[in-house]
Amino acid sequence: MALLVQKFGGTSVGSLVRIEAVAERIIKSRRQGHDLVVVVSAMSGETNRLIAMAQALSPEPDRRELDVLLATGEQTTIALLAMALKARGQPAISLTGDQVRIHTDHRHGKARIEHIDTTVINQALARGQVVIVAGFQGRGPDNAITTLGRGGSDTTAVALAAALKAEECQIFTDVDGIYTTDPRLEPKARRLEYIDFESMQAMAALGAKVLEVRSVEHAGRHKVKLRVLSSFAEHSAGTLMTFDEAAPQGISGIASCLQSVLVTIKGLTANSEQARRLLEPLGDAGIDVDILCSTDDASNGLVFTVPLGDFGQALPMLQASAAAMGELDVLHRQDVAKVSVIGNDVGIRSDIATITCGALSDKQIEARHFLTSARRLTLILAQQDMVQSVRILHQTLIGP
Amino acid sequence: MALLVQKFGGTSVGSLVRIEAVAERIIKSRRQGHDLVVVVSAMSGETNRLIAMAQALSPEPDRRELDVLLATGEQTTIALLAMALKARGQPAISLTGDQVRIHTDHRHGKARIEHIDTTVINQALARGQVVIVAGFQGRGPDNAITTLGRGGSDTTAVALAAALKAEECQIFTDVDGIYTTDPRLEPKARRLEYIDFESMQAMAALGAKVLEVRSVEHAGRHKVKLRVLSSFAEHSAGTLMTFDEAAPQGISGIASCLQSVLVTIKGLTANSEQARRLLEPLGDAGIDVDILCSTDDASNGLVFTVPLGDFGQALPMLQASAAAMGELDVLHRQDVAKVSVIGNDVGIRSDIATITCGALSDKQIEARHFLTSARRLTLILAQQDMVQSVRILHQTLIGP
């Protein structure tokens, strides 16, 4: 009898029929003797519906009030799921982030969890109830409703698993685990039974959409055992993220991302104090920056990517800093794709770069930028070469 | 500069356009120098949408969880209205029932307000914010979300006005006040500028749909000045409910109700201990019973009406009690209508009953039951006679 935290995302609870299927699945886990804390997202489409209402009233809706609005999405799901469980005779109780006491900082729309009070949850578990918690939301310092940033419900699940010292944090999604690459790009992609934490972190950061990188990092800090499972395919054990030093060596997968903007700032090197000052505001704004230039390559300048969705916010920040530093030019292009080979032996196998470049140049594919580090090898390519590159690298490095 | 509580119902906030109109109206009140606490309902149709989802999962959804679900309706409205105000430069803050600390008892779906903590609201008012409060909801003894019974948002507004000692509690609705009768039945119905509390209470109890009787009674207990206004017609002062002994004498109006079931229990009189025991469970269940037989009329038995919507719940209770009291027969019929003449001189003007009966019998309309008391005269009629009776009595007693 273990305590499990299970998280079901928006697609998994996307309709009343799906909510009933999730209820059945929870009851099966319960019959296996587990104590369960279940975190749910808003039903798929609901958050977008709410945002559209807010934007009809104001192009930039007040952030405090937007959180009050968005929090209704998860509140709806917890109520419906708890009802579905109780209608099946399974004792259950729904709790909002506020009711649990998921204390966050004050940053509406991208709040960080500071402390979780486990009292209410533990009391409910002791009564034999399945505890259904609204993901993505918490209570700010002034008792305002806050919502977490990207990956919000995953973050809630991981934070609860850490606070409750749960045996596993199971993330149910629409795929049955972490694959060696996106199966939509390469049908021969294989599910991994295990993945080590650092490779998972790189996969999430570099394009795998299954888990948000902040949730993976959160799990890493608290050594939470994360398992990715399908809420649709019942008989797959999914992928377990391990912290084991004895994790199998090898290449975990090929990640890819079409939604990056490549930025170059000539005359700066990555390790410089100026680079740090230039990029700091982006970090403060929660924008992920992936630095690509090697530190000894001053002629290329500072080269990095920014997610396309954040670029509108990032560009004025970069231009302001660059202007203040002596009229540095900020060059950027959006017609690029990023493909990364990820694994815990990428950094120690000197042949991987050679194999990768050879396999691509055989097909006349040229990389514009190229970075290797301990667990990754990242290429910047023309967008139209992305899918073919993923398939060539998967076949060459992972197998036919 | 006065403190006003303003309440906008579901139709008044039924669309984003309507919410923006309410925001403009609030800003006008604010410019007149008033401090404002605004109570809102769910957007019209929203509560029904949520109930339909719940009932798709369970014919009798768990009541605690149904409250969690329904509370999202008002939470959505407070967020949207606060956004609309802030987008117009008007400082505002939304608060759920829980955030205000509207403490209720534990009865999910029909909770009663026990205490309101005014600290959070007063702090916001002191900051110059318009305070937007979610109606219809509170916090139960175990910190669960509760919803109030019928007339929920009106009750919230009245309770807040009492707790905050507001100058007026203004109920904005889709009609511009209390009318001498339902204008859909009698186009010559006139708006009342003032109505005394007891007449308002009788109007609400006997069929006027503008205010729920519990909200009126609540206002009466706390001497809250209630004003009914239209959220659409801006230049009407509506109807003010007064507690003034010097209120104008006269007939306030004609109320009617098609949705009543007439119940007769032979062999009981209204003032008996048995009648009290028989009706007590209905009162406990929150069902309004209107006793019609005069106490000295034992041959008729105990005669009363029950709202049609509650009759399915009331009948088994009545049958159980009547069986326990010695096989008393419970007779009931639904093909009746109730028409009442209401005013603070009905009880002192002995001619009113004569005029009423004469006017109706001129048109061959016969009353099956007939009750007079201090402020009302109530007739039970055949349903098909209701509209004509309302028009005849309005013309005869109130004027052409």
Side-chain angles (χ1 to χ4, degrees):
Chain A
M1 174 133 157
L3 171 60
L4 302 181
V5 173
Q6 297 187 329
K7 180 258 172 179
F8 293 89
T11 313
S12 305
V13 294
S15 68
L16 295 175
V17 171
R18 289 296 313 145
I19 286 173
E20 297 196 288
V22 167
E24 298 286 353
R25 179 120 199 187
I26 288 169
I27 289 170
K28 272 185 201 161
S29 296
R30 187 80 186 115
R31 289 211 180 113
Q32 288 162 8
H34 301 304
D35 280 342
L36 295 177
V37 174
V38 177
V39 177
V40 288
S41 303
M43 294 168 77
S44 55
E46 180 66 3
T47 301
N48 287 343
R49 184 181 77 87
L50 295 168
I51 289 174
M53 285 206 288
Q55 288 184 334
L57 292 175
S58 169
E60 289 204 33
D62 182 83
R63 300 186 116 178
R64 180 194 186 276
E65 301 304 337
L66 188 59
D67 280 358
V68 175
L69 183 67
L70 294 183
T72 64
E74 288 76 23
Q75 187 169 326
T76 298
T77 315
I78 59 172
L80 293 172
L81 181 56
M83 275 176 208
L85 285 166
K86 287 174 171 176
R88 286 164 175 74
Q90 172 59 53
I93 186 171
S94 75
L95 295 170
T96 64
D98 182 271
Q99 287 175 323
V100 172
R101 306 282 186 261
I102 298 181
H103 296 282
T104 74
D105 64 17
H106 66 282
R107 303 195 306 165
H108 286 290
K110 51 184 175 184
R112 276 168 207 265
I113 296 175
E114 291 185 336
H115 174 69
I116 295 182
D117 187 336
T118 55
T119 316
V120 178
I121 291 179
N122 280 325
Q123 286 167 348
L125 291 173
R127 288 191 298 266
Q129 292 172 317
V130 171
V131 182
I132 314 288
V133 178
F136 184 60
Q137 57 181 239
R139 168 200 281 218
D142 49 356
N143 287 347
I145 296 169
T146 53
T147 65
L148 313 180
R150 270 171 287 181
S153 290
D154 288 346
T155 305
T156 302
V158 169
L160 280 170
L164 295 162
K165 303 192 199 320
E167 175 72 18
E168 261 187 29
C169 179
Q170 303 183 331
I171 309 288
F172 287 82
T173 176
D174 49 358
V175 293
D176 71 334
I178 306 297
Y179 274 67
T180 49
T181 196
D182 185 340
R184 288 166 300 184
L185 303 186
E186 171 51 86
K188 287 177 182 161
R190 295 197 313 262
R191 177 172 62 82
L192 298 163
E193 268 194 75
Y194 301 95
I195 187 168
D196 63 288
F197 163 65
E198 285 85 0
S199 296
M200 183 67 242
Q201 186 181 17
M203 290 281 268
L206 296 170
K209 303 230 166 47
V210 178
L211 285 173
E212 219 276 333
V213 63
R214 282 178 185 72
S215 315
V216 176
E217 287 167 354
H218 202 123
R221 275 196 297 282
H222 297 281
K223 295 279 184 290
V224 169
K225 279 192 218 161
L226 214 54
R227 186 186 292 276
V228 176
L229 288 158
S230 166
S231 37
F232 301 90
E234 292 217 7
H235 299 292
S236 164
T239 301
L240 182 66
M241 184 177 89
T242 64
F243 297 95
D244 206 332
E245 285 300 311
Q249 298 290 309
I251 292 170
S252 302
I254 315 291
S256 61
C257 177
L258 205 59
Q259 305 285 315
S260 289
V261 178
L262 182 72
V263 183
T264 305
I265 299 177
K266 295 273 182 192
L268 285 187
T269 56
N271 268 357
S272 66
E273 168 63 17
Q274 278 190 308
R276 198 192 59 70
R277 272 167 43 209
L278 187 98
L279 298 177
E280 200 172 32
L282 278 66
D284 290 346
I287 299 172
D288 294 315
V289 173
D290 186 24
I291 298 176
L292 290 175
C293 63
S294 57
T295 54
D296 54 353
D297 189 6
S299 63
N300 273 336
L302 174 64
V303 182
F304 55 93
T305 63
V306 168
L308 182 59
D310 293 328
F311 188 63
Q313 192 186 354
L315 183 60
M317 293 182 183
L318 290 168
Q319 286 171 329
S321 302
M325 287 173 189
E327 314 261 337
L328 296 173
D329 278 336
V330 179
L331 310 174
H332 54 92
R333 55 191 305 170
Q334 302 188 11
D335 59 347
V336 295
K338 192 156 82 164
V339 174
S340 303
V341 179
I342 292 157
N344 57 6
D345 61 357
V346 170
I348 49 176
R349 271 181 62 189
S350 58
D351 60 330
I352 288 182
T354 316
I355 295 169
T356 298
C357 291
L360 293 179
S361 68
D362 282 355
K363 303 286 180 183
Q364 282 77 47
I365 296 173
E366 192 193 349
R368 295 195 191 145
H369 290 275
F370 192 99
L371 167 85
T372 54
S373 68
R375 281 173 198 269
R376 69 186 259 202
L377 178 159
T378 294
L379 307 161
I380 300 292
L381 305 159
Q383 284 192 335
Q384 70 268 24
D385 292 334
M386 188 186 84
V387 177
Q388 198 190 356
S389 302
V390 166
R391 301 187 69 165
I392 291 168
L393 295 181
H394 194 271
Q395 179 152 21
T396 310
L397 295 167
I398 294 174
Chain B
M1 174 135 154
L3 171 61
L4 303 180
V5 173
Q6 298 187 329
K7 180 259 174 179
F8 294 89
T11 313
S12 305
V13 293
S15 68
L16 295 176
V17 171
R18 289 295 315 143
I19 287 173
E20 298 196 287
V22 167
E24 299 286 354
R25 181 120 199 187
I26 288 169
I27 289 169
K28 271 184 203 161
S29 296
R30 187 79 187 114
R31 289 211 181 113
Q32 288 161 7
H34 302 303
D35 280 340
L36 296 176
V37 174
V38 178
V39 177
V40 288
S41 304
M43 295 168 76
S44 55
E46 180 66 3
T47 301
N48 288 342
R49 185 182 76 88
L50 295 169
I51 289 174
M53 284 207 289
Q55 288 183 335
L57 292 175
S58 168
E60 289 206 34
D62 181 83
R63 299 185 116 177
R64 179 194 187 278
E65 302 304 338
L66 188 60
D67 280 358
V68 175
L69 183 68
L70 294 183
T72 65
E74 288 77 22
Q75 187 169 326
T76 298
T77 315
I78 58 171
L80 293 173
L81 181 56
M83 273 176 211
L85 286 166
K86 288 174 171 177
R88 285 162 175 74
Q90 172 57 54
I93 185 171
S94 76
L95 295 171
T96 63
D98 182 272
Q99 287 175 323
V100 172
R101 306 283 185 261
I102 298 180
H103 296 282
T104 74
D105 65 17
H106 66 282
R107 302 195 306 165
H108 286 291
K110 51 183 176 184
R112 277 169 207 265
I113 295 174
E114 292 184 338
H115 174 68
I116 295 181
D117 187 337
T118 55
T119 315
V120 178
I121 291 179
N122 280 325
Q123 285 168 348
L125 291 173
R127 287 192 299 265
Q129 292 171 316
V130 171
V131 182
I132 315 288
V133 177
F136 183 60
Q137 57 181 243
R139 169 200 281 218
D142 50 356
N143 286 346
I145 296 168
T146 52
T147 66
L148 313 180
R150 270 171 288 184
S153 290
D154 288 345
T155 304
T156 302
V158 169
L160 280 170
L164 294 162
K165 304 192 198 318
E167 176 70 20
E168 261 187 30
C169 179
Q170 303 183 330
I171 308 288
F172 288 82
T173 176
D174 48 357
V175 294
D176 71 333
I178 307 297
Y179 274 67
T180 49
T181 195
D182 185 340
R184 287 165 303 183
L185 303 185
E186 171 51 87
K188 289 178 182 160
R190 295 196 314 262
R191 178 172 61 83
L192 298 164
E193 267 192 80
Y194 300 95
I195 187 167
D196 65 287
F197 163 65
E198 286 84 359
S199 296
M200 182 67 242
Q201 185 182 19
M203 290 281 267
L206 295 170
K209 301 228 167 48
V210 179
L211 285 174
E212 218 277 333
V213 63
R214 281 178 185 74
S215 314
V216 176
E217 287 168 354
H218 202 123
R221 273 195 300 281
H222 297 282
K223 294 280 186 285
V224 169
K225 279 193 217 159
L226 214 53
R227 186 186 292 276
V228 176
L229 288 159
S230 166
S231 37
F232 301 90
E234 293 218 5
H235 299 291
S236 165
T239 301
L240 182 66
M241 183 176 91
T242 64
F243 297 95
D244 206 332
E245 286 301 312
Q249 298 289 311
I251 291 170
S252 301
I254 316 290
S256 60
C257 178
L258 205 60
Q259 305 285 314
S260 288
V261 178
L262 182 72
V263 182
T264 305
I265 298 176
K266 294 273 183 196
L268 284 188
T269 57
N271 268 358
S272 65
E273 168 65 15
Q274 278 190 306
R276 199 192 57 71
R277 272 168 42 210
L278 188 99
L279 297 177
E280 198 172 35
L282 278 65
D284 290 346
I287 299 172
D288 294 316
V289 172
D290 186 23
I291 298 176
L292 290 174
C293 64
S294 58
T295 53
D296 55 352
D297 189 5
S299 64
N300 272 335
L302 174 64
V303 181
F304 56 93
T305 62
V306 168
L308 182 59
D310 293 328
F311 188 63
Q313 192 188 352
L315 184 59
M317 292 181 183
L318 290 169
Q319 286 172 329
S321 302
M325 287 172 189
E327 316 262 337
L328 295 173
D329 278 336
V330 180
L331 309 174
H332 55 92
R333 54 191 306 171
Q334 303 188 9
D335 59 348
V336 295
K338 194 156 81 164
V339 174
S340 304
V341 179
I342 293 157
N344 57 6
D345 61 359
V346 171
I348 50 177
R349 271 183 60 189
S350 57
D351 60 330
I352 288 183
T354 317
I355 295 170
T356 298
C357 291
L360 293 179
S361 68
D362 281 355
K363 303 285 181 185
Q364 282 77 49
I365 295 173
E366 191 194 349
R368 296 199 189 138
H369 290 275
F370 192 101
L371 167 85
T372 55
S373 68
R375 278 171 201 270
R376 67 186 259 203
L377 178 158
T378 294
L379 307 160
I380 300 290
L381 305 158
Q383 284 192 336
Q384 69 269 23
D385 292 333
M386 187 184 87
V387 176
Q388 201 191 354
S389 303
V390 167
R391 302 187 70 166
I392 292 167
L393 295 181
H394 195 272
Q395 180 151 21
T396 310
L397 295 167
I398 295 175

